[in-house]
Amino acid sequence: MPAIPLTLLVGTTKGAFLVAADTDRQTWDVSGPHCGGWCINHMAGDPKTGTIWAGGGGDFFGAGVWRSDDQGQNWDLTRLSKGQMDDWAAQDPDFAAMIGWTDAPLPFATEFQQVWSLGFAHDTLYAGTKPANLLKSTDRGTTWARVDALTDHDSAKDWNPGAAGLVLHSIVFDPGSAEKQWVGISAAGVFATEDGGRSWRRRNRLSNAEACVHHDHPAAPRDGETGHCVHNIVRANGDTDLLYQQNHHGVWRSPDGGRSWDDITPGLPSTFGFPIRVHPHDPRTIWTLPLNGDMAGRFPPDAACAVWRSRDGGETWEALREGLPQKNCYFTVLRQAMAGDAQDAPGLYFGTNSGSVFASLDEGDTWHEIARHLPTILSVETLEHAG
């Protein structure tokens, strides 16, 4: 059976880029930048239709979501909140005319500055923002509504920003149930719903409170819970709600949808990192990319890059280095910048803040640089076209 055509969706500080593969994933073609030079924090795609969404923004543009229905040839923008350019344009008719600005009201005014994450499942598009809100769209990104039960959660008054701000960055789905969903917020923790977003529960409890002992880092576990600065969460395929989490202070596994978490950090070279991925066919195979520490430069330990893999759900780890830079390597791989496809021999991909994309087609044993000299890469996702 021929391989499914694949596109990597790469969000950067200078727009969106599409990295398209040939049928055997040996040759890659880069197109971009797309989306008007916006900072694109995250992207998502619909494999059935090929529609691509790109979310981002910032202080100048405000927040918005771009959409392409023709594989990136053309893009339409849905603006969600105001930015500095709106104030400028309101005072300068020439500038307003130059950028095509109108004073039409925006649905969320000044409530947030950026779209930070996107997720599409069960014919619904979700967006996480900075500051943390969860939005949903049932018309493919044309109109949006806030998921108030999360935004107005009883704990919201105690949510604290991480170093990047108070961001909702992980949106995780159960492919078998539209009612179940998880989100990660830095630094508020993991939240879950089992009723389609009508109610949410915090899910940060440790399986063993002794895991809190002997940690003095501000982001470390305490009070019987993981540190609330979750960096990324993923769900393993299958009928059980097996979750993995890369936290600001360690890697964790939950066999029960976040109701309890086990520390699986031992064997890794540090407690700090951003991304985590799980194998599409083997729920016990996971990958992460440790960095040397939050206050030590945030680059690979010893300036030598390695992706670390576990074949037993985090009980043991091995470093995978072949094809990765082993000297003077100071890049960072951010929380949404590692992705995987679901082909029979699954590919694994990550992007760096120095503008490179690396790919492995043998589950991390060997790596190849498939794109370079891009702007700072903020996210990588895969779009596998169904037809």
Side-chain angles (χ1 to χ4, degrees):
M1 182 176 179
I4 300 170
L6 171 72
T7 302
L8 302 185
L9 312 178
V10 181
T12 82
T13 54
K14 297 182 180 180
F17 290 79
L18 306 180
V19 185
D22 61 5
T23 55
D24 58 4
R25 297 174 295 175
Q26 296 299 311
T27 302
W28 300 82
D29 181 59
V30 178
S31 71
H34 305 287
C35 304
W38 275 44
C39 175
I40 298 299
N41 288 315
H42 199 217
M43 301 177 69
D46 178 359
K48 293 181 180 179
T49 65
T51 296
I52 302 169
W53 295 276
D59 290 342
F60 182 74
F61 290 114
V65 176
W66 295 79
R67 184 178 75 191
S68 175
D69 295 316
D70 56 9
Q71 300 181 2
Q73 296 300 309
N74 297 281
W75 296 82
D76 295 313
L77 170 64
T78 297
R79 295 189 65 209
L80 299 177
S81 68
K82 293 175 60 177
Q84 294 169 348
M85 75 173 195
D86 296 279
D87 296 331
W88 291 10
Q91 302 298 321
D92 187 339
D94 292 336
F95 177 67
M98 181 182 72
I99 65 173
W101 180 84
T102 67
D103 61 355
L106 296 172
F108 298 98
T110 59
E111 296 176 32
F112 48 82
Q113 294 82 47
Q114 290 181 308
V115 169
W116 196 270
S117 57
L118 294 172
F120 180 73
H122 306 294
D123 295 320
T124 302
L125 182 65
Y126 290 87
T129 70
K130 174 186 175 180
N133 294 268
L134 181 64
L135 314 178
K136 65 184 293 186
S137 172
T138 56
D139 57 11
R140 305 180 69 78
T142 301
T143 60
W144 294 84
R146 185 187 293 105
V147 180
D148 290 329
L150 180 61
T151 303
D152 300 334
H153 194 271
D154 290 344
S155 66
K157 64 182 182 300
D158 298 321
W159 296 354
N160 293 309
L166 184 63
V167 296
L168 194 158
H169 52 68
S170 294
I171 306 174
V172 177
F173 304 100
D174 180 343
S177 172
E179 298 292 291
K180 296 171 69 173
Q181 188 176 347
W182 297 262
V183 300
I185 300 174
S186 291
V190 176
F191 293 77
T193 180
E194 295 186 351
D195 57 13
R198 292 184 294 276
S199 65
W200 295 81
R201 292 184 180 274
R202 280 183 111 160
R203 291 195 177 165
N204 305 293
R205 184 172 61 85
L206 294 171
S207 61
N208 179 3
E210 287 298 309
C212 294
V213 179
H214 308 305
H215 291 292
D216 57 6
H217 190 283
R222 56 178 38 85
D223 302 323
E225 296 192 334
T226 67
H228 287 178
C229 193
V230 53
H231 282 179
N232 191 260
I233 53 176
V234 292
R235 179 187 184 275
N237 283 333
D239 296 331
T240 62
D241 290 332
L242 175 60
L243 302 178
Y244 295 96
Q245 172 187 160
Q246 172 68 64
N247 194 280
H248 190 107
H249 196 82
V251 181
W252 307 83
R253 179 186 65 225
S254 173
D256 51 17
R259 291 176 176 84
S260 64
W261 293 92
D262 301 311
D263 186 0
I264 56 172
T265 312
L268 292 171
S270 78
T271 59
F272 185 81
F274 286 111
I276 191 164
R277 298 302 303 176
V278 59
H279 195 291
H281 315 306
D282 177 7
R284 291 177 61 78
T285 294
I286 52 177
W287 300 269
T288 189
L289 206 155
L291 303 175
N292 63 346
D294 58 350
M295 303 296 287
R298 303 190 177 200
F299 54 80
D302 301 319
C305 183
V307 173
W308 288 71
R309 180 178 64 199
S310 175
R311 295 288 199 185
D312 51 16
E315 296 300 317
T316 61
W317 296 91
E318 59 180 324
L320 310 172
R321 301 180 182 276
E322 187 173 342
L324 298 175
Q326 295 302 294
K327 185 178 180 181
N328 298 327
C329 177
Y330 300 104
F331 60 53
T332 298
V333 178
L334 296 172
R335 73 181 81 237
Q336 291 158 306
M338 179 180 280
D341 63 44
Q343 299 190 33
D344 291 340
L348 188 65
Y349 313 93
F350 71 85
T352 73
N353 68 343
S354 56
S356 294
V357 179
F358 290 89
S360 173
L361 303 183
D362 53 15
E363 303 192 0
D365 286 338
T366 61
W367 294 87
H368 305 277
E369 189 181 34
I370 61 171
R372 63 176 61 178
H373 306 317
L374 298 180
T376 298
I377 294 174
L378 305 176
S379 63
V380 177
E381 292 292 348
T382 59
L383 175 58
E384 298 179 73
H385 306 278

